[in-house]
Amino acid sequence: MTDSAKLKARDYKSAVKPIWCPGCGHFSVFNAITKAMAALAIDKDDTVMVSGIGCSSRLPAYVDSYGFHGVHGRGLAVGQGLKVARPDLTVLVMGGDGDGFSIGGNHFIHACRRNVNLTYIAMDNEVYGMTKGQASPTTPIDWDHSTLTPHGPGVRPFKPAALALAAGAPWIARAYSGNPNQMAQLIAAAVEFPGFSFLHVMSQCITFCPEQTDWKKIVHERAEPALSDADQAAKLFLHEDGFETGLLYSEQRASWPPAAVETPSDGAMDALAASFRVSTGVTRQ
Ligand SMILES: Cc1ncc(C[n+]2csc(CCOP(=O)(O)OP(=O)(O)O)c2C)c(N)n1
Ligand code: SF4
């Protein structure tokens, strides 16, 4: 087994080379993840990256750990199941705003309230990058840069942090692809948090939203400590501009499942499988 304490960020990169467009913000998230892994001396053999589908969801292939490139919007379902079955593993789930807030929106809100001990990184570029620029739930109402939505989507965008708070997420932070060092620190803190940690990353799509290069002029780091009072956090998330970065909210609350709940033994699983065969006639090979 490798001595994780000696690994550098580059040692956590796999032999698969990213095929993102040059300048895509997702490179920065990838670098920040590997930096955080090195800082925490994470054991590759005990770590799993899980994703859905999208440019952002390619990320598990690029990390030298276990990985699961799943079904669109279902990364959190897979990641939570994995963590509940194997609480000894470090699980990071990741994907885009389309993956996590559109088709996977239901899984997102229930993951927030369930509070399974894993990290969820939403790489938000306010667009469906992989499928060539359709509007997503975080696209600005008047985004008029795509022939697919002339004059903009005309619908108010989600506020992911507000949604996460309302659904019960105990740890909420925001990072920006232009500041990978801050992002790496936030990812390390998220992994160490004993519960569901939600990192909202503003990660530019240079191809379909070139105007997002202007984000560097409007992002601003939070100067105050993270809020721990949900009422105050609600006010912040409903009224902020969406570009404040740093740890925004953190509270301690019991994660799920409680430690006393044991995963089913092999015997219990076999009994379950046997009852399934009896009731359906389907046999397991
Ligand atoms: C069930 C299903 N519906 C639709 C698609 C097509 N699809 C693939 S990726 C994607 C959206 C990707 O956007 P996002 O999650 O924001 O990630 P990005 O590519 O911007 O990083 C869609 C709609 C799919 N693969 N599966
Ligand atoms: S289309 Fe956008 S999100 Fe996808 S790789 Fe290119 S820049 Fe990144």
CSV table of all heavy atoms in Angstrom, one decimal, residues 140-154:
chain,number,residue,atom,x,y,z
A,140,PRO,N,-29.1,32.8,-15.3
A,140,PRO,CA,-29.8,34.1,-15.1
A,140,PRO,C,-31.1,34.3,-16.0
A,140,PRO,O,-31.1,33.8,-17.1
A,140,PRO,CB,-28.7,35.1,-15.4
A,140,PRO,CG,-27.4,34.4,-15.3
A,140,PRO,CD,-27.7,33.0,-15.6
A,141,ILE,N,-32.1,34.9,-15.4
A,141,ILE,CA,-33.4,35.1,-16.1
A,141,ILE,C,-33.3,35.7,-17.5
A,141,ILE,O,-34.0,35.3,-18.4
A,141,ILE,CB,-34.3,35.9,-15.2
A,141,ILE,CG1,-35.8,35.9,-15.7
A,141,ILE,CG2,-33.8,37.3,-15.0
A,141,ILE,CD1,-36.8,36.4,-14.7
A,142,ASP,N,-32.3,36.6,-17.7
A,142,ASP,CA,-32.2,37.3,-18.9
A,142,ASP,C,-30.9,36.9,-19.7
A,142,ASP,O,-30.5,37.7,-20.6
A,142,ASP,CB,-32.1,38.8,-18.6
A,142,ASP,CG,-31.0,39.2,-17.7
A,142,ASP,OD1,-30.4,38.2,-17.1
A,142,ASP,OD2,-30.8,40.4,-17.4
A,143,TRP,N,-30.4,35.7,-19.5
A,143,TRP,CA,-29.2,35.3,-20.2
A,143,TRP,C,-29.6,35.1,-21.7
A,143,TRP,O,-30.2,34.1,-22.1
A,143,TRP,CB,-28.7,33.9,-19.6
A,143,TRP,CG,-27.5,33.4,-20.2
A,143,TRP,CD1,-26.2,34.0,-20.1
A,143,TRP,CD2,-27.3,32.2,-21.0
A,143,TRP,NE1,-25.3,33.2,-20.8
A,143,TRP,CE2,-25.9,32.1,-21.3
A,143,TRP,CE3,-28.2,31.2,-21.4
A,143,TRP,CZ2,-25.4,31.1,-22.0
A,143,TRP,CZ3,-27.7,30.2,-22.1
A,143,TRP,CH2,-26.3,30.1,-22.5
A,144,ASP,N,-29.1,36.0,-22.5
A,144,ASP,CA,-29.5,36.0,-23.9
A,144,ASP,C,-28.4,35.7,-24.8
A,144,ASP,O,-28.2,36.2,-25.9
A,144,ASP,CB,-30.0,37.5,-24.2
A,144,ASP,CG,-30.8,37.5,-25.5
A,144,ASP,OD1,-31.2,36.4,-26.0
A,144,ASP,OD2,-31.1,38.6,-26.0
A,145,HIS,N,-27.6,34.7,-24.4
A,145,HIS,CA,-26.4,34.3,-25.2
A,145,HIS,C,-26.6,33.0,-26.0
A,145,HIS,O,-25.6,32.5,-26.6
A,145,HIS,CB,-25.2,34.2,-24.3
A,145,HIS,CG,-24.8,35.5,-23.7
A,145,HIS,ND1,-23.7,36.3,-24.1
A,145,HIS,CD2,-25.4,36.2,-22.7
A,145,HIS,CE1,-23.6,37.4,-23.4
A,145,HIS,NE2,-24.6,37.3,-22.5
A,146,SER,N,-27.7,32.4,-26.0
A,146,SER,CA,-27.9,31.2,-26.7
A,146,SER,C,-29.2,31.2,-27.5
A,146,SER,O,-30.2,31.7,-27.1
A,146,SER,CB,-28.1,30.0,-25.6
A,146,SER,OG,-28.6,28.9,-26.3
A,147,THR,N,-29.0,30.7,-28.8
A,147,THR,CA,-30.2,30.7,-29.7
A,147,THR,C,-31.3,29.7,-29.1
A,147,THR,O,-32.4,29.7,-29.6
A,147,THR,CB,-29.8,30.2,-31.1
A,147,THR,OG1,-29.0,29.0,-30.9
A,147,THR,CG2,-29.0,31.3,-31.8
A,148,LEU,N,-30.9,28.9,-28.2
A,148,LEU,CA,-31.8,27.9,-27.6
A,148,LEU,C,-32.8,28.6,-26.7
A,148,LEU,O,-33.9,28.1,-26.5
A,148,LEU,CB,-31.1,26.8,-26.9
A,148,LEU,CG,-30.1,26.0,-27.7
A,148,LEU,CD1,-29.2,25.1,-26.8
A,148,LEU,CD2,-30.9,25.1,-28.7
A,149,THR,N,-32.4,29.7,-26.1
A,149,THR,CA,-33.3,30.4,-25.2
A,149,THR,C,-33.3,31.9,-25.6
A,149,THR,O,-32.7,32.7,-24.9
A,149,THR,CB,-32.9,30.3,-23.7
A,149,THR,OG1,-31.5,30.4,-23.6
A,149,THR,CG2,-33.4,29.0,-23.1
A,150,PRO,N,-33.9,32.3,-26.8
A,150,PRO,CA,-33.8,33.7,-27.2
A,150,PRO,C,-34.4,34.6,-26.1
A,150,PRO,O,-35.4,34.2,-25.5
A,150,PRO,CB,-34.6,33.7,-28.5
A,150,PRO,CG,-35.2,32.4,-28.6
A,150,PRO,CD,-34.6,31.4,-27.6
A,151,HIS,N,-33.8,35.7,-25.8
A,151,HIS,CA,-34.2,36.6,-24.7
A,151,HIS,C,-34.0,36.1,-23.3
A,151,HIS,O,-34.5,36.7,-22.4
A,151,HIS,CB,-35.6,37.1,-24.9
A,151,HIS,CG,-35.9,37.5,-26.4
A,151,HIS,ND1,-35.3,38.5,-27.1
A,151,HIS,CD2,-36.8,37.0,-27.3
A,151,HIS,CE1,-35.7,38.5,-28.3
A,151,HIS,NE2,-36.7,37.6,-28.5
A,152,GLY,N,-33.4,34.9,-23.2
A,152,GLY,CA,-33.2,34.4,-21.8
A,152,GLY,C,-34.3,33.4,-21.5
A,152,GLY,O,-35.3,33.4,-22.1
A,153,PRO,N,-34.0,32.6,-20.4
A,153,PRO,CA,-35.0,31.6,-20.0
A,153,PRO,C,-36.3,32.2,-19.5
A,153,PRO,O,-37.4,31.6,-19.5
A,153,PRO,CB,-34.3,30.7,-19.0
A,153,PRO,CG,-33.1,31.5,-18.5
A,153,PRO,CD,-32.8,32.5,-19.6
A,154,GLY,N,-36.2,33.4,-18.9
A,154,GLY,CA,-37.4,34.1,-18.5
A,154,GLY,C,-37.9,33.5,-17.1
A,154,GLY,O,-39.1,33.8,-16.7
